[in-house]
Amino acid sequence: MTGYRSLFRTPEFTPLFLGAALQTAAQTVGGLALGTLVYRATGSPLLSAVSMFGPSLAQVLGATFLLSGADRLPPRTALTVIALAFGAGTALQALPGLPTGALFAIVLLLGLVASVGGGVRWGLLNELLAKGGYLPGRSLFNMMSGLMQIAGFATGGALLAALSPRACLLLAAALYLTAALVLRLGLSARPPRVTGRPSPAATWRTNALLWSDRPRRLTYLGLWLPNGLVVGCESLYVSYDSGAAGTLFACGALGMFAGDVTVGRLLPPAVRARLATPLLLLLAAPYLLFAAHPPLAVAVVCVTAASVGFGASLVQQERLMSLTPDELAGHALGLHSAGMLTLQGVSATLAGSVAQLTSPAAAMTVMATASVAVTLALATAARRPAAAAAPEAAGPAGPHEPAGPPEPAGPAGPAESADPPEPAEPASR
């Protein structure tokens, strides 16, 4: 496997990495500030959760109409413009007296802009790295994201104790603008990976092609659903304990970092390929304890342990890229990113609605239970076709020569499907 150190010797990897780090820091500080601002103004767990994860709701529109731009736009220009748009939008959210409705309009508009960003970034990463380099590269980006979230949420929590949420939003806007400068100066001008203009029709055609393959379809569902439901739990940290929200977010990022290091670097491929389902169960199970309203020390342990399960995403992404032609890598990764973030936004809204009717702790338990159920259902669906195909693949078996059992497969998709091209991506989580 390609070493982490060698990745930084790859031309353009470092500016892409630094630009992403600055954007992650901006997102964590700005998201926590906006969620706190809305919660102080409205006292609503639902509106607080949607303010932090609302951009994800617009991802479904981007995936439907704009995603063909992931492979049809010049990467440097697209990434720079997206960072500038987020800087301007975050600065607008800091305006005093801005109505809550206007805040949410900006949130959704930024989500629409971001819907193309995942495909552009991860498609470029796949293009920059040699064959076999995508998994360690993506693992390193995930580790960076975890560390920046730890620092961002911890710093954001400290800043919110000393400054106003609006001042923290202006700091986040400055970080976005710095990221735009790094990307513009550090990346070289590259042509789009696919010729032709981005259009809704091109987006629909490629989405239909990617979705038509059953193993790939199950992989997408495994990437989107269990993860999204658990992010619904995370969206309630502010309303669960507003004073400790920064700590809970930082511990979640620490667990995610540990999971990414373990899965992306320490585990051999043969072991890693079998861990999707166990990791997804780990992702949700600790949140079941929130039904008992645990003290903060126990809650911190639960959140940290659960977030190790986000390492399942690396296993599933590797599976997705093994099922996807290289020329569709950007679009496929963009569809993963947009679908994942959309489900996160939907889950945050659902979790906030349940919390509004019951309590944040009860809503976390409901979302975690749903995630466990979905993971088990997808694991069962993935094994079913493999079990049916096994006797045929083994040939007729005599009475004393039974066919062996099929390979187990988690939600990342069944173990069938062949001759895949080399891998390639997306984060948030």
Side-chain angles (χ1 to χ4, degrees):
M1 180 183 286
T2 304
Y4 287 146
R5 189 176 302 174
S6 67
L7 295 172
F8 289 99
R9 295 195 288 269
T10 302
E12 302 182 66
F13 178 86
T14 299
L16 183 63
F17 184 85
L18 291 177
L22 287 165
Q23 288 175 287
T24 303
Q27 183 181 3
T28 52
V29 172
L32 184 59
L34 184 60
T36 304
L37 179 68
V38 171
Y39 188 65
R40 288 179 183 176
T42 65
S44 168
L46 171 61
L47 294 179
S48 173
V50 173
S51 68
M52 293 187 70
F53 294 89
S56 304
L57 294 172
Q59 295 278 339
V60 67
L61 293 176
T64 304
F65 298 105
L66 305 177
L67 200 50
S68 61
D71 292 309
R72 290 175 170 82
L73 293 173
R76 182 179 69 175
T77 301
L79 291 174
T80 302
V81 169
I82 289 170
L84 288 172
F86 266 82
T90 304
L92 284 176
Q93 291 171 339
L95 290 176
L98 194 67
T100 303
L103 277 175
F104 282 107
I106 295 171
V107 163
L108 294 176
L109 182 61
L110 291 179
L112 192 61
V113 171
S115 63
V116 181
V120 175
R121 176 185 295 164
W122 307 125
L124 177 59
L125 179 66
N126 186 53
E127 188 177 344
L128 292 176
L129 299 179
K131 292 295 184 184
Y134 178 81
L135 181 65
R138 182 61 180 138
S139 170
L140 190 59
F141 267 78
N142 283 4
M143 290 162 54
M144 171 274 294
S145 178
L147 289 175
M148 295 308 296
Q149 287 183 47
I150 293 169
F153 284 126
T155 303
L159 288 174
L160 284 169
L163 304 173
S164 69
R166 288 189 171 85
C168 294
L169 284 169
L170 290 176
L171 173 61
L175 289 171
Y176 278 122
L177 296 179
T178 305
L181 184 64
V182 169
L183 293 167
R184 180 65 181 82
L185 297 179
L187 297 177
S188 63
R190 289 171 176 266
R193 285 179 292 276
V194 176
T195 58
R197 297 169 63 97
S199 69
T203 300
W204 298 336
R205 282 196 305 271
T206 308
N207 284 347
L209 175 62
L210 291 170
W211 195 250
S212 64
D213 180 67
R214 187 178 188 275
R216 199 159 47 218
R217 188 162 61 245
L218 286 173
T219 304
Y220 274 125
L221 292 174
L223 281 161
W224 295 344
L225 293 172
N227 173 310
L229 290 164
V230 169
V231 170
C233 299
E234 295 184 340
S235 72
L236 298 174
Y237 289 167
V238 172
S239 54
Y240 179 79
D241 188 341
S242 59
T247 300
L248 291 173
F249 277 118
C251 289
L254 176 62
M256 185 173 68
F257 174 82
D260 285 329
V261 171
T262 302
V263 174
R265 189 65 185 154
L266 302 181
L267 295 178
V271 175
R272 184 173 66 230
R274 297 175 181 272
L275 286 183
T277 296
L279 286 169
L280 289 175
L281 292 174
L282 174 63
L283 181 61
Y287 282 101
L288 298 175
L289 298 178
F290 276 77
H293 296 270
L296 180 60
V298 176
V300 160
V301 172
C302 290
V303 166
T304 305
S307 297
V308 172
F310 280 116
S313 178
L314 285 175
V315 181
Q316 295 165 306
Q317 288 172 45
E318 186 175 36
R319 170 70 176 169
L320 176 63
M321 288 298 96
S322 74
L323 298 169
T324 303
D326 286 344
E327 64 272 16
L328 297 181
H331 194 117
L333 296 173
L335 182 60
H336 156 41
S337 180
M340 178 185 68
L341 292 173
T342 297
L343 264 295
Q344 289 178 3
V346 169
S347 297
T349 304
L350 178 59
S353 300
V354 175
Q356 198 89 358
L357 297 173
T358 57
S359 70
M364 286 181 177
T365 306
V366 169
M367 302 303 287
T369 302
S371 181
V372 169
V374 168
T375 295
L376 294 175
L378 287 172
T380 301
R383 282 194 297 267
R384 195 172 296 139
E392 194 175 315
H400 302 292
E401 298 176 305
E407 282 288 314
E416 52 175 285
S417 183
D419 301 326
E422 254 317 296
E425 186 222 336
S428 167
R429 295 186 179 276

